[in-house]
Amino acid sequence: MIFLLMLPLAAAAQSGNYYYVKQFAEEGIPAAQYICGAYLENGIQGAEKDAERAVLFYSEAAKQGYLEAYEALARCYRNGVGVEKDIDKMNYYLKKYDEVNAAMGGFKPEHCINTEDEFEDGRLEDYSTDCDYAFEAEEAGKYAKMEYYATRAAVRGDIFAQFNLGLWYEKGDELPRDYAKAMFWYEVASDGGDYDSCAQLGGLYYDGRGTKVDYVKAVYWYERAAQLGDVDCLLRLEDIYRKGRPGVPRNLERADYWRKEYEKFQKAKNALRFF
């Protein structure tokens, strides 16, 4: 049983932007629901203070078994924040916390999810405390903990965490394979300009993994990756256009274009060897 509940002010240390995180909460991601609740409860990160709505967000996260949401709800019912004081409900959520905590091997998440730096719109830079926690958990082979922290970073805009989640869900080694989640996080990271995520999406559509084969979409993502700097995709695009694929007619002009782009890269790379 935990005896010291998180104080509301602890949430004030959270970084991120309410409207950015809220889009993930609306997708049903419990980490985002919990963070939105914290923003609303404290009136920070662009959220107008609204304890009742905060409790609603906490409740949605709790329905999905999100550990911190149980603790937040227990505190709300103890202190009458957004709800009537109710010791029975407080004890209920404390019990749920203990049950989930035990199922996760006694994992108690760090409450501090602030970062070293942020973008002007509130999203994270690539470095974040949560990413450090996720990396440490991965090294220790504690994959549920890894997923927990990585998701918390991802919903607050960390592109590195978004890509890693996509990769973990796609590969199915550290986490259960889930192509839908993989594609979701790849698309989020690609919106932030991550060419690796664009390339992975191209591969999923090209091979028909987690979705039907779609060469048109594969080319779309490969071209986005190439334009953002992915070199491997240059040769893939050349091959697709030189031979043609269903839905993508043979186009030697486009094939030659991507071959020349690849050769430009090789020349630049070779030139650097002299410095």
Side-chain angles (χ1 to χ4, degrees), residues 6-27:
M6 181 183 72
L7 296 175
L9 290 178
Q14 296 175 350
S15 327
N17 180 278
Y18 172 65
Y19 294 100
Y20 182 79
V21 177
K22 187 170 178 283
Q23 66 179 317
F24 296 105
E26 291 170 347
E27 291 287 340

Side-chain angles (χ1 to χ4, degrees), residues 44-261:
I44 58 174
Q45 295 296 336
E48 185 175 344
K49 194 168 185 176
D50 190 332
E52 291 184 2
R53 284 192 68 211
V55 170
L56 291 176
F57 273 108
Y58 290 147
S59 297
E60 289 302 310
K63 288 176 184 177
Q64 299 189 65
Y66 195 74
L67 189 61
E68 290 170 282
Y70 295 127
E71 190 177 47
L73 286 167
R75 174 177 44 73
C76 287
Y77 279 107
R78 184 191 69 178
N79 299 332
V81 176
V83 290
E84 294 290 331
K85 289 185 179 182
D86 191 324
I87 300 303
D88 288 338
K89 286 187 177 179
M90 179 195 79
N91 288 327
Y92 168 79
Y93 284 114
L94 286 176
K95 183 179 179 182
K96 292 293 291 183
Y97 179 97
D98 287 341
E99 290 173 355
V100 174
N101 177 273
M104 294 182 71
F107 164 56
K108 180 174 174 58
E110 299 285 345
H111 290 308
C112 179
I113 58 174
N114 61 307
T115 64
E116 294 292 313
D117 300 292
E118 294 179 46
F119 293 119
E120 289 184 2
D121 64 0
R123 292 178 298 128
L124 307 187
E125 293 283 8
D126 287 338
Y127 174 88
S128 77
T129 305
D130 279 343
C131 280
D132 279 354
Y133 292 146
F135 176 74
E136 291 170 4
E138 182 183 18
E139 290 288 293
K142 297 180 179 179
Y143 299 126
K145 184 176 180 181
M146 174 193 77
E147 180 184 29
Y148 200 96
Y149 283 125
T151 305
R152 207 164 64 171
V155 298
R156 290 163 53 245
D158 190 285
I159 293 173
F160 181 72
Q162 293 164 353
F163 170 75
N164 275 341
L165 281 170
L167 193 64
W168 290 328
Y169 288 128
E170 178 189 351
K171 300 303 181 185
D173 295 326
E174 292 87 352
L175 300 176
R177 177 171 285 145
D178 189 322
Y179 285 117
K181 287 183 179 179
M183 296 181 80
F184 174 83
W185 286 116
Y186 283 148
E187 288 184 13
V188 171
S190 70
D191 287 342
D194 183 61
Y195 64 73
D196 285 325
S197 293
C198 295
Q200 292 299 118
L201 282 166
L204 289 174
Y205 281 112
Y206 188 90
D207 297 329
R209 286 177 288 123
T211 184
K212 65 179 182 180
V213 171
D214 190 324
Y215 294 113
V216 174
K217 288 183 179 178
V219 166
Y220 169 79
W221 287 111
Y222 281 149
E223 288 192 343
R224 280 193 62 179
Q227 290 159 0
L228 288 168
D230 188 288
V231 178
D232 292 335
C233 286
L234 300 175
L235 293 180
R236 293 175 198 164
L237 286 164
E238 181 202 1
D239 180 70
I240 292 171
Y241 280 116
R242 198 165 296 285
K243 299 175 182 177
R245 298 289 191 283
V248 182
R250 189 167 181 243
N251 188 326
L252 297 182
E253 183 178 351
R254 291 296 291 168
D256 290 341
Y257 169 79
W258 290 114
R259 164 54 68 171
K260 289 176 182 176
E261 288 299 303

